[in-house]
Amino acid sequence: VLQIRAGARDITEKSYYTSDLKNVTNNLFVHPLRSISEEGWTKFMSQEILPGAYGTGDSRWGPNYTLHLLGGGMTYRALWEWFDDHKLPVPWLWSATTVLGYELMNEALENKGATGRNTDAIADFWFFNVGGIVLFSFPSVSRFFSKTVIMSDWSLQPSFTYPRFDLHNHGQYFSFKYPLPFYEKLRLFSWLGMAQLFGLSYKMDSGYSVTAAGGTMDTRFVNETGNSVHNSVQFRPSGAIFIDRNESLLASLQVSNIKDYFALLNLYPNAFWKTNPGLGFWGVTDKEGHFIVGLSLSTIGLGAGFGSLK
């Protein structure tokens, strides 16, 4: 969530691990029902759970389905299979702990100094992340999102940058492809996370696919009050081109009408040349010409960058 927070992207800020984490855990584990009652069950259900509101400040259910239910569920299933492949005992438990652990930290980052009720965290954690774990525990669901609707993790390449030690080029994003019945090389496409891009993907006989999509990018996530978490989101036009090989993302170029991340290029490790460990490249520029460039390593899933972008 740091990618659309106003201000620095510094994950070492103390409040994240003290007051913010305390407020989130109080809402999740101590008095969740009281927080929902204070918010109002009707408002909670229409804005957080069911698609009953569509404004920038109250359609908070949107990312709950894409990022938390489907994205979190797919991540859980993939990690479960990874832990099982590496012979860890009770692999589903390791996976669930990982997914709920990073979700707890993300909610603390999103809390951003608020005290009091946080029904957004309750919906994200209990209804959608736990719901995604349950949903993707069924083989039929996992099969559907790998065979019928082809779902893939197309996240960015997170990197710590010099000289501010901020986290840049990060964020979870998931692609969805649906082959057209009358021409399976052409697929309906969406790329969802803190963006909503839709378009078409064309798969060649070689296994490579070229995809073009357009839509909106979430640009700012602003909490409107200090005694509760009630975020409003701003959207700006965005478009992107993707190249993948058998659903594994190789490269992407995204241009968005926003001040800081105006143009973002990602070349993923071992996309077009082989190194050991795999070496990736990324670069971003804002509208004023400030930039950051960085490298990422496949072995740790993390990179480093430098530049003047704030």
Side-chain angles (χ1 to χ4, degrees), residues 40 99 178 222 235:
V99 170
Y178 178 70
V222 180
F235 303 94

PDB file of all heavy atoms in Angstrom, residues 40 99 178 222 235:
ATOM      1  N   GLY A  40     -21.508   0.810  11.648  1.00  0.00           N
ATOM      2  CA  GLY A  40     -22.840   0.517  11.132  1.00  0.00           C
ATOM      3  C   GLY A  40     -22.788  -0.665  10.197  1.00  0.00           C
ATOM      4  O   GLY A  40     -22.017  -0.650   9.217  1.00  0.00           O
ATOM      5  N   VAL A  99       0.782 -15.675   4.294  1.00  0.00           N
ATOM      6  CA  VAL A  99      -0.190 -14.762   3.678  1.00  0.00           C
ATOM      7  C   VAL A  99      -0.830 -13.857   4.725  1.00  0.00           C
ATOM      8  O   VAL A  99      -0.925 -12.633   4.545  1.00  0.00           O
ATOM      9  CB  VAL A  99      -1.260 -15.569   2.913  1.00  0.00           C
ATOM     10  CG1 VAL A  99      -2.410 -14.669   2.486  1.00  0.00           C
ATOM     11  CG2 VAL A  99      -0.639 -16.247   1.701  1.00  0.00           C
ATOM     12  N   TYR A 178      -8.645 -14.662 -20.478  1.00  0.00           N
ATOM     13  CA  TYR A 178      -9.722 -15.574 -20.841  1.00  0.00           C
ATOM     14  C   TYR A 178      -9.692 -15.775 -22.350  1.00  0.00           C
ATOM     15  O   TYR A 178     -10.025 -14.873 -23.127  1.00  0.00           O
ATOM     16  CB  TYR A 178     -11.077 -15.030 -20.421  1.00  0.00           C
ATOM     17  CG  TYR A 178     -12.233 -15.922 -20.835  1.00  0.00           C
ATOM     18  CD1 TYR A 178     -12.430 -17.157 -20.220  1.00  0.00           C
ATOM     19  CD2 TYR A 178     -13.099 -15.538 -21.853  1.00  0.00           C
ATOM     20  CE1 TYR A 178     -13.467 -17.987 -20.595  1.00  0.00           C
ATOM     21  CE2 TYR A 178     -14.150 -16.362 -22.241  1.00  0.00           C
ATOM     22  CZ  TYR A 178     -14.320 -17.581 -21.606  1.00  0.00           C
ATOM     23  OH  TYR A 178     -15.346 -18.404 -21.989  1.00  0.00           O
ATOM     24  N   VAL A 222      -5.903   8.361   0.796  1.00  0.00           N
ATOM     25  CA  VAL A 222      -5.891   9.358   1.861  1.00  0.00           C
ATOM     26  C   VAL A 222      -6.945   9.025   2.896  1.00  0.00           C
ATOM     27  O   VAL A 222      -8.124   8.827   2.571  1.00  0.00           O
ATOM     28  CB  VAL A 222      -6.140  10.771   1.283  1.00  0.00           C
ATOM     29  CG1 VAL A 222      -6.115  11.804   2.402  1.00  0.00           C
ATOM     30  CG2 VAL A 222      -5.087  11.100   0.232  1.00  0.00           C
ATOM     31  N   PHE A 235      -8.083   8.424  -8.780  1.00  0.00           N
ATOM     32  CA  PHE A 235      -7.755   7.618  -9.955  1.00  0.00           C
ATOM     33  C   PHE A 235      -7.263   8.520 -11.078  1.00  0.00           C
ATOM     34  O   PHE A 235      -7.720   9.651 -11.225  1.00  0.00           O
ATOM     35  CB  PHE A 235      -8.984   6.840 -10.446  1.00  0.00           C
ATOM     36  CG  PHE A 235      -9.594   5.936  -9.407  1.00  0.00           C
ATOM     37  CD1 PHE A 235     -10.640   6.377  -8.617  1.00  0.00           C
ATOM     38  CD2 PHE A 235      -9.124   4.651  -9.225  1.00  0.00           C
ATOM     39  CE1 PHE A 235     -11.214   5.552  -7.664  1.00  0.00           C
ATOM     40  CE2 PHE A 235      -9.684   3.816  -8.283  1.00  0.00           C
ATOM     41  CZ  PHE A 235     -10.739   4.268  -7.498  1.00  0.00           C
TER      42      PHE A 235
END
